[in-house]
Each structure stands twice: as structure tokens, then as C-alpha cells.
Amino acid sequence: MLRRILIGAVVMGLAAAAAAPARAYYTQVLMPGVTYSRQVQFTAHGPVVIHVVTAPKPVGLYRLKPILANGTVTGRQRVTQMEKSVSDQATVVGTNGDLFNWNDGHPTGMVMQDGVLKVPPSRDRSSIGVTNRGTLMVQRVAQFGFWQGLGSRRTLSLNKTPVGDGTAIFTPSWGARTPAVAGAVETIVEPYPPVVPGVALSGTAVAQSNGGGTTIPRDGAVLMAIGSQASKLAAETPPGTVVQTQFSLSPNWPSLGVTDALGGGPIIVRDGRAVWTAGEAFLPSQLAPRNPRTGIGQRRDGTLVMVVVDGRRRGYSVGLTNWELAQTLVRLGAVTASALDSGGSSTLAFDGGLLNRPSDRGGERAVKETLALMYTGVYAPAPAQPVLSPNGDGQGERQTLSYKIVRQSAVDAKLIDPTGATVYEDAGDRAPGIYQITWPSSAVRHRSAVRHRATGLALGRWRWAVSATDDQEQSSSVSRVFWVNDTLGFLRISPRVARVRKHHANRIVASFQVLHTARVTGTVWTRSGVLVRRIGPVRLKPGKRALIWNGRYRSGGFAYRGRYVFKVYAQNAYGPMTLSKNFSVRN
């Protein structure tokens, strides 16, 4: 009996080990408090690439908001384009948003921005709301609306083409003109205020028209009715009539502090547990297959977790089911989470640059919204050169440093050398914009004993530190690191076009100069980024040195014809340093 128990325990342990996917990670800091990681899971179905962004609770300098393509309900843009459109307002990392109509681009669910309702929610799917205290809410929300002219109250929808016997009001958020609808009757009201749920809104009828396609006044709106409601709208809203309207949400999200919201669903994490089925209006064909996926969640401490999963690329990433996406969000600590549009729409971008690999053949898809984490503090991108080595060999000669502010701010930007001395400072009141310096420059003072031979710059770890206090008394800071290291220089590959043949002494030589003793490693890569051979590490003293590759892979086989990269990496007390050169192999 004991033997059976032990065998069973071993089998269960092996099964658990087989079920748990192996993982690999890559992590970087995007902006203060915001981290991006690329995780690769090796599963029985194939590799899965998961992109994860973690960010502080969206309060203060951070806000989680939907961005509409072109600023309107209709039309589409790429996530990267939408981020660039608001780059003067914030530094942004975001994902794609809700499902949308493929023809005119309008979202199929809710959109609310800064308390103004742009699109009504879908009753049979979850919506995602963000409160003014930074809390993420995922619930089904219903909208109720009415209009009243000279007659009784009648039901009203918002920025949604009416169907059957319906009436809708189109605000400037919809776009320039109302949709063309045969048999429709329209009443133009002007002025008309932004649609805030729970607030009585009124406008004066100024004109009527038929068939749709009417210009929407920038300070007004257009009522459209079809079916049996068309004659009622025409009779009860003649020019000069004051038209009363009101919209409400159930549950009453504005009373709970929700200021921004968008459609989503299904809910995938509730109270820290993955939700198998939420009973929402999604087909099994949308939830069951392994596809690219997008999700947003929040941990108990308020930390946001954005997830985009690549898929539909065998050998790279096969994607996840909706249930597996839910389990992933739970693993990442989410206590509340919702899915968003998936498939070719799944996109993650930062500052207008893609972070994931969308699955469409044409690359990034034009979508309706970006769910954006917007940061309004001071931002400094990573230095252009991770290692500065101004020794005349053409690699790492000059450094570019910059910072961005989006509000009038008192700024103090410092360049700090390895001794802790400030060698450059830019301080004062600054207008919104991007500020940049190219360095080395004559403004730099040198105070260190161990310096670059040519320039006198201190060798080691340097820091670019920027702090700012904006006109709303919000303080922020950012720090970026780079190295000054002249250990390696003047890399040459000989021959640049190598012939690799059997029964020959194949030699591809990487020669270079070493100025300080270092541990040096050579690596050979394909141009697509596959490591094919490692040479070393070896400890090298100053002088002219070389590493030799015999043209064979790690397996012992001869290199195939193609283009390669020879990289030489050094590490010593002055930091890391890498030089690289391209070469080709012929057989």
C-alpha cells in the first residue's frame, strides 16, 4: 500500500511538473513606476509570448483613460497613432480597447471620458470603469435615456444608429455628420451640452431635415428618429421648441466616482478567482480558441496589470484561450480583471512604438480605442547609447540625453558622474516640450581620477537624473543610467566574407583593442537574432587582441550560407561594453 502511495505521489509530481509551463523573462522600466516584461511560456501546445505592463494605481500623475480614434465615435486608427496624438499631453502606454463595427468603426460598448458619456454601454457585456480614486470596476451597466418636446417622454439612445421604431441623438463626439438612414427624420438642436449621466440636458430645436447625413453643430446635436417615432419627432420638435433629454446609468457609476469607462468583457477575474464563464454575449468561437488576447486587471493594492498575448504564429506564439487569459491575470496577482478585444486587434504600445507582434499579415490593425495609462510627470527615455566610448572608432562616440514635460514645470536636470559629482545641470522654469542635449560637450566638468584617455571623462556608471514640479504642485522624478567605458575599441572582422568548407582550417577573426583588463566573451549570431556560437569568456590584458571562430555551430556542424553578427562583450570595474560587426558566410 505504501509503495502504491509513493508511486502515485511520484506520478502526480511528474504530471504537475509537465503541466507547469517553463518561462523566460525580459524586463525594462518604461517610465517612473511602470514596468514592461516580455514573458515566454513553453507549453504542450507551443510557445506563448505574454507582454505584461505593471503600473501604479491610476491617481495623481497617472490616469487610466480610453482614447478614441480621431477623437470621434466613428473611424479607426492604430494604437501607436492614438498614442502619438496625445504625446503632448502625457507619456502613454496602452492596449487596444473594445470590439468595434468593422464598417464605420464605432465601438460596440460604452465610452465615457472625463464624466462625459460618448457611447452607451452594452447590457449583455461587461463594461470597465475607472473611479476618481483609481479603482477598476468591471460590471454590466445599462443606459436609460429619454427625450421630450411638445408631447410625452420617449426613449432615446446616444450616438447609435436607431433601429426599428427608435430615436437617437448624435453629438459632436459621433463625427462631422449623422449617418444616412432612409426615411429618417432629424431635428437639429443648438446649443446642446455634453452628455453627463444623471443631469437634465436641454437644447432648442433650430431646424429639421430628412434622410440623415446632417452636419452636427459643434455646440449642438441632432435628434434622429425612424419608424413610428419619425412622425412624432417631426410633430413634437418644430423649430423654437425646447427639447429636454436625460441619460442615466444602472448601476449609477457617476455616483460611485466613475469618470472614465469603456466596453469590454467578459469579466475574467472576480474577487481574485478566475471566471470560467460569465454568461455574457460572447460566442464559444470567440472564447475557446487559442488566439491573441488582451486583458486589464488590478491587484489588491491598486497596481494595474495590462496583458497582451501574441498568437496565431506557430513556432513563436500560439496564443491563449479566454480561460487561460483569466488564469494568467490571477497568476499576476489581479483580483479584478476584464478581457478586451482579441485576435488581430491585440496590441500593446508605448510612446507610439509597438511592444508586441500583432497577428495580422499587414501588421498593426486600425482599431477604435486605446485603453491608455497616461503619465503626466517628467519623463526621460533611455539614453541613446547604453555605453559611451568616444575613442574615435565610430561606435558609441556621442550621447543623446533628453526629458519631456507636459505642463509648465520647475525642472532640475543633472548629469552625475561615477564619483557622485554633478558635471552638467539644467535648472529653471520650463514650458511644456522636449529638451535634449548632445554630450560630451564643453559644459562638462571632469573630477574623477580614472578617465577616458581621449576626453578625460570619468569611467564607470553615469546617471541622468531629472526632477520636476509642475504648475499643479505635482512632483515627479526620473533617473536613467549609462556607462562610460573605453575598454574595447576598433573591432574588425576578417574576412568580411568568409568561406566555410569541410577539411579546411576555417578562421573568422574578430580583432580589437583592449585598454583595461577585462573578462571578454565573443558571440556569433544570425542576423535574425539566433545565437549560434559562444567563444570564451577569457580574461584579456591591455593590448591588441583577437577571438577566432572556426565556422562551426555549437552542434559541430558547419555554418550555413548567410549573414551573421560577431559581438564582443567585455565586463570590468568600469561596467559592461559590447562591440559588434556584420559579416557573411559562403560555402
Side-chain angles (χ1 to χ4, degrees), residues 53-82:
V53 170
T54 57
K57 190 174 185 178
V59 293
L61 294 169
Y62 303 88
R63 286 287 187 270
L64 184 65
K65 305 171 72 70
I67 301 173
L68 284 171
N70 303 308
T72 59
V73 172
T74 52
R76 295 186 290 149
Q77 283 184 306
R78 294 178 172 179
V79 170
T80 51
Q81 291 175 304
M82 286 184 265

Side-chain angles (χ1 to χ4, degrees), residues 24 61 109 122 124 177 215 220 235 277 295 325 340 343 348 405 408 425 436 457-458 472 540 551 553:
L61 294 169
S122 173
D124 51 10
R177 294 178 178 272
T215 299
T277 177
L325 176 65
L340 289 158
L348 179 67
I405 51 175
Q408 192 78 21
E425 186 168 13
Q436 180 175 296
L457 300 180
Q472 299 181 13
L540 298 180
Y553 295 147

Side-chain angles (χ1 to χ4, degrees), residues 153-229:
R153 287 188 174 186
R154 306 187 189 282
T155 59
L156 181 66
S157 186
L158 171 66
N159 287 328
K160 191 173 183 180
T161 304
V163 294
D165 299 311
T167 307
I169 189 166
F170 293 91
T171 69
S173 297
W174 171 266
R177 294 178 178 272
T178 61
V181 179
V185 171
E186 293 180 305
T187 296
I188 302 169
V189 293
E190 189 177 14
Y192 186 78
V195 177
V196 177
V199 177
L201 311 168
S202 64
T204 302
V206 296
Q208 291 187 330
S209 62
N210 297 288
T214 299
T215 299
I216 303 172
R218 291 188 178 184
D219 63 342
V222 178
L223 285 157
M224 174 187 284
I226 62 172
S228 64
Q229 297 299 305

Side-chain angles (χ1 to χ4, degrees), residues 401 413-426 437 439 441-448 456-458 462-464 482:
L401 303 169
K414 296 179 179 179
L415 185 57
I416 302 170
D417 76 6
T419 69
T422 298
V423 298
Y424 172 86
E425 186 168 13
D426 172 26
I437 67 167
W439 182 78
S441 72
S442 58
V444 177
R445 304 188 305 274
H446 314 300
R447 302 181 180 180
S448 178
L457 300 180
W462 287 66
R463 188 161 59 92
W464 175 237
F482 65 96

Side-chain angles (χ1 to χ4, degrees), residues 317-396:
S317 183
V318 296
L320 295 178
T321 67
N322 191 72
W323 170 242
E324 290 169 338
L325 176 65
Q327 293 175 308
T328 298
L329 265 298
V330 170
R331 173 176 64 82
L332 293 169
V335 294
T336 300
S338 174
L340 289 158
D341 192 10
S342 61
S345 296
S346 289
T347 305
L348 179 67
F350 168 63
D351 212 26
L354 271 176
L355 293 176
N356 78 312
R357 289 180 61 185
S359 63
D360 281 2
R361 288 186 177 182
E364 186 185 359
R365 175 184 293 180
V367 296
K368 178 63 255 172
E369 304 151 323
T370 293
L371 179 57
L373 178 74
M374 306 180 72
Y375 167 70
T376 54
V378 64
Y379 165 69
Q385 300 288 347
V387 180
L388 183 66
S389 179
N391 55 12
D393 67 354
Q395 297 195 54

